[in-house]
Amino acid sequence: MSPSARPALAWIAAALTALGALAAAAPPAQAAASVPAASTPAPASTPASTPATASTPGAQVDPLDSPRWEDMRKTFFSDAKVVFDERVKVNGPAVAEDSLNVPVNVDASTLPGVEELIVFADFNPIVKALRFEPGAAQPRLGFRIKLQQSSPVRAAARTADGVWHVGGAWVTATGGGCTLPSVGSGSPEWQERLNEVNGKLWPRVDGGERLRMRIIHPMDTGLAAGIPAFHIEDIVIADAEGRTLSRIQPLEPVSENPSFTLDLRAAAPGARLHVAGRDNNGNRIDAWVTR
């Protein structure tokens, strides 16, 4: 190589070295594309980032995970505010021994201002079982129902502010409770004793009284072939002076010869309570329950 060519080669080598340094300093073209789009935080105003609240109809997740809960909400509560509330308790057997007689106790006594209780079973062919206006009684009630199949059994308590507080429990049942005829419908005895009331009052240590009563009635649902619906639909409990204390409105899913247990907040005046009502055929209930 001639001496005159060496400066030109040196200049070319220096230029190549500078270009290599610039290329090493620049980030790869695809580096920006490799960053996931999700790594960019969403604006705080994005609606999806706002959690659902209890005041939004249907926004809550059903703690019993029933596929029919949304139907129940629309059927019984419409646009009213509904909240799941552990203070509304439903006690029943985990597994029912007899689908025609499933013992249930509902208790909302720790919830203040309860004006009305309803009880229903999601998967029964006749969903609503009972309505209870506690009045002078504690908002708790014991009774028995029929279950057609395994189902959530729920109680909903309406407080004075119009909010429905819902509690419930799953009950496993062998099924058929609503579509079987009552035992009494095949016996002539029920006609002689129809709407007969047996009951008693006991004093409670808290100063109130416990009322237990049983009413003779077949409580047919109308779902058994050839047997129409025949059930008690209204029971009013009054004191000896005629003042209404509580009201129970049982429907077809309540068990045959229904029995009810309720607790009055205070002892009623007089030595007895009046139990009056009717069934859906107009037959009257009229009896006195003594201490």
Side-chain angles (χ1 to χ4, degrees), residues 153-214:
V153 177
R154 305 184 195 260
R158 180 179 57 81
T159 47
D161 57 3
V163 177
W164 287 95
H165 303 256
V166 180
W170 269 95
V171 178
T172 300
T174 55
C178 294
T179 52
L180 294 174
S182 65
V183 176
S185 62
S187 169
E189 182 182 2
W190 71 263
Q191 298 183 29
E192 300 173 2
R193 302 182 60 196
L194 182 69
N195 288 338
E196 178 182 294
V197 178
N198 298 299
K200 193 169 178 61
L201 281 165
W202 287 271
R204 291 176 50 84
V205 294
D206 60 6
E209 290 184 307
R210 171 160 289 183
L211 169 63
R212 285 181 177 168
M213 60 180 178
R214 177 174 178 261

Side-chain angles (χ1 to χ4, degrees), residues 70-88:
E70 188 61 20
D71 293 333
M72 300 298 99
R73 187 189 65 79
K74 292 177 181 178
T75 297
F76 294 112
F77 312 117
S78 187
D79 295 328
K81 183 176 179 180
V82 181
V83 294
F84 293 109
D85 196 327
E86 293 181 352
R87 291 174 293 179
V88 180

Side-chain angles (χ1 to χ4, degrees), residues 52-143:
T53 63
S55 61
T56 304
Q60 295 186 96
V61 176
D62 176 19
L64 299 181
D65 195 25
S66 167
R68 293 217 63 205
W69 163 246
E70 188 61 20
D71 293 333
M72 300 298 99
R73 187 189 65 79
K74 292 177 181 178
T75 297
F76 294 112
F77 312 117
S78 187
D79 295 328
K81 183 176 179 180
V82 181
V83 294
F84 293 109
D85 196 327
E86 293 181 352
R87 291 174 293 179
V88 180
K89 303 182 186 306
V90 177
N91 297 310
V95 179
E97 295 180 357
D98 181 359
S99 294
L100 286 165
N101 290 281
V102 181
V104 172
N105 182 274
V106 300
D107 187 348
S109 56
T110 61
L111 182 65
V114 175
E115 296 184 346
E116 175 185 2
L117 272 165
I118 61 172
V119 180
F120 55 96
D122 291 19
F123 292 107
N124 259 4
I126 302 172
V127 176
K128 188 175 180 181
L130 178 143
R131 179 177 178 271
F132 176 43
E133 294 178 11
Q138 296 282 357
R140 57 177 176 248
L141 185 68
F143 58 102

Side-chain angles (χ1 to χ4, degrees), residues 11-26:
W11 180 86
I12 293 171
L16 291 172
T17 301
L19 288 172
L22 289 173

Side-chain angles (χ1 to χ4, degrees), residues 130-134 141 143 195-197 211 213-217 219 231-238 244-251 254-255 257-262 274-279 283-287 289:
L130 178 143
R131 179 177 178 271
F132 176 43
E133 294 178 11
L141 185 68
F143 58 102
N195 288 338
E196 178 182 294
V197 178
L211 169 63
M213 60 180 178
R214 177 174 178 261
I215 304 173
I216 303 299
H217 202 286
M219 298 296 291
H231 63 92
I232 299 169
E233 61 182 15
D234 195 31
I235 304 168
V236 175
I237 301 157
T244 297
L245 301 177
S246 296
R247 185 176 211 139
I248 304 170
Q249 294 177 315
L251 296 168
V254 172
S255 296
N257 299 328
S259 59
F260 302 100
T261 301
L262 64 157
H274 187 220
V275 178
R278 66 180 184 277
D279 62 28
N283 300 297
R284 309 299 298 182
I285 300 169
D286 189 354
V289 176

